[in-house]
């Protein structure tokens, strides 16, 4: 099994985050469970701090969820491109740069940009999700990036959903990554509502080709929201498995560069 070399970094312990609060008043116990190995907690903490992800608006708990699914898919041999992890964080407003492409080999944030959600998922915030065709809503959960093609929206990329009943219809629904003129920094700076899609995670036109080429062909793509139903029902987020990172020696350090605003693609 291919495992990213950044997993070999020195590990330290972290304290789990508090449980998330949901709009309907329900609480779901944090998946930062006490039975997660200290080596895993330290690995996540080390990566999060190394890339200064807090300064880019990504909460540590969201990063934990992404890493858990990434490691789960690694353990199931589902990833042909384990060096890349993409996080689409729909807990943030659409005028935030809420798409994160992470190089797990170097431990760097490669791209941080805007991304759309479905027109029926909400206005500025994405709060409603679906796996149904023609719902014009975004789907949550873990997907694996597929092949590229040129279609009605230009250069685009397919997804394959990894979560039955949650996102396994994305290919049939033609939910793809593509570029869009209605998702851009001009709208964000003007305070205008970002354009919405039919469910696709569209990124700014002009940035899309490089991002697609960087993540295509079997990498992990995670779409997150603090959605009670998803967090409760996701078999990946609630899975018990041996994290591949625990198979590696915690005493073996890997030199790496610290991510900064000058990282390629990060503005």
């Amino acid at each position: 099994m291919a495992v990213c070399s950044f997993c070999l970094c020195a590990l330290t312990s972290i304290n789990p985050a508090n449980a998330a609060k949901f709009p309907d008043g329900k609480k779901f116990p944090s998946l930062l469970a006490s039975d997660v190995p200290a080596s895993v907690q330290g690995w996540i903490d080390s990566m999060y701090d190394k890339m200064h992800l807090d300064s880019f608006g990504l909460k540590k708990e969201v990063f934990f969820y992404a890493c858990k699914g990434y490691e789960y898919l690694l353990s199931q041999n589902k990833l042909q491109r384990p060096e890349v992890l993409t996080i689409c964080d729909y807990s943030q407003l659409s005028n935030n740069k809420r798409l994160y492409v992470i190089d797990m080999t170097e431990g760097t944030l490669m791209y941080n940009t805007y991304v759309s959600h479905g027109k029926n998922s909400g206005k500025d915030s994405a709060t409603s999700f679906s796996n149904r065709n023609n719902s014009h809503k975004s789907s949550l959960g873990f997907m694996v990036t597929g092949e590229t093609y040129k279609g009605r929206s230009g250069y685009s990329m397919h997804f394959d959903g990894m979560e039955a009943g949650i996102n396994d219809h994305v290919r049939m629904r033609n939910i793809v990554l593509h570029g869009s003129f209605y998702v851009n920094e001009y709208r964000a700076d003007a305070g205008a509502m970002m354009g919405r899609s039919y469910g696709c995670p569209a990124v700014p036109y002009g940035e899309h080709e490089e991002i697609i080429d960087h993540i295509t062909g079997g990498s992990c793509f995670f779409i997150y929201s603090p959605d009670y139903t998803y967090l409760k029902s996701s078999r990946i987020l609630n899975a018990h498995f041996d994290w591949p990172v625990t198979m590696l020696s915690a005493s073996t350090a890997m030199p790496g560069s610290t991510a900064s605003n000058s990282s390629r693609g990060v503005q």
Side-chain angles (χ1 to χ4, degrees):
M1 178 192 309
V3 179
C4 63
S5 58
F6 186 67
C7 298
L8 298 174
C9 67
L11 304 177
T12 57
S13 179
I14 65 171
N15 292 320
N18 293 328
K21 293 183 178 179
F22 299 89
D24 60 2
K26 297 178 181 178
K27 291 184 179 180
F28 184 74
S30 173
L31 297 176
L32 301 178
S34 59
D35 61 349
V36 172
S39 59
V40 170
Q41 295 178 349
W43 169 62
I44 290 170
D45 192 38
S46 177
M47 287 201 297
Y48 185 84
D49 292 342
K50 173 183 171 66
M51 292 182 280
H52 306 291
L53 293 177
D54 58 337
S55 69
F56 291 97
L58 187 68
K59 294 180 179 179
K60 186 177 290 185
E61 190 167 32
V62 178
F63 185 58
F64 176 93
Y65 295 149
C67 286
K68 181 169 186 179
Y70 163 83
E71 287 275 303
Y72 176 83
L73 293 176
L74 273 179
S75 75
Q76 301 296 307
N77 296 313
K78 297 293 186 182
L79 301 179
Q80 288 72 52
R81 298 279 313 283
E83 70 274 17
V84 183
L85 168 62
T86 304
I87 304 170
C88 180
D89 181 10
Y90 283 158
S91 70
Q92 300 184 45
L93 296 176
S94 64
N95 59 1
N96 290 350
K97 291 184 176 182
R98 54 184 181 169
L99 185 84
Y100 305 82
V101 179
I102 296 170
D103 187 320
M104 299 293 279
T105 302
E106 298 295 330
T108 55
L109 178 61
M110 302 302 293
Y111 303 98
N112 177 216
T113 192
Y114 305 98
V115 61
S116 69
H117 57 257
K119 62 182 295 186
N120 289 339
S121 283
K123 294 185 178 180
D124 290 334
S125 299
T127 58
S128 181
F129 307 94
S130 178
N131 194 34
R132 292 188 298 105
N133 195 28
N134 296 321
S135 66
H136 294 171
K137 293 184 179 183
S138 300
S139 291
L140 294 177
F142 290 92
M143 302 184 290
V144 172
T145 62
E147 72 278 14
T148 62
Y149 70 99
K150 289 188 177 180
R152 184 172 57 184
S153 298
Y155 191 55
S156 306
M157 182 192 70
H158 285 292
F159 293 107
D160 289 299
M162 296 290 106
E163 303 203 60
I166 295 173
N167 62 22
D168 56 335
H169 291 167
V170 290
R171 184 174 282 266
M172 177 269 290
R173 294 178 60 203
N174 202 31
I175 301 300
V176 301
L177 183 66
H178 62 82
S180 175
F181 289 109
Y182 55 72
V183 180
N184 53 54
E185 192 162 18
Y186 173 78
R187 283 177 176 265
D189 290 345
M193 186 176 75
M194 202 69 69
R196 293 164 295 161
S197 67
Y198 281 177
C200 297
V203 298
Y205 197 87
E207 299 178 30
H208 68 295
E209 292 189 2
E210 188 172 352
I211 291 174
I212 288 173
D213 285 343
H214 194 78
I215 70 176
T216 188
S219 69
C220 180
F221 194 101
F222 176 48
I223 300 181
Y224 169 79
S225 171
D227 180 84
Y228 178 83
T229 300
Y230 171 67
L231 294 178
K232 183 177 180 180
S233 62
S234 171
R235 293 183 178 180
I236 292 181
L237 286 184
N238 292 286
H240 295 280
F241 65 100
D242 291 327
W243 291 52
V245 69
T246 63
M247 303 175 188
L248 302 172
S249 173
S251 62
T252 305
M254 185 213 80
S257 57
T258 301
S260 68
N261 287 344
S262 62
S263 296
R264 182 165 60 90
V266 178
Q267 301 176 354

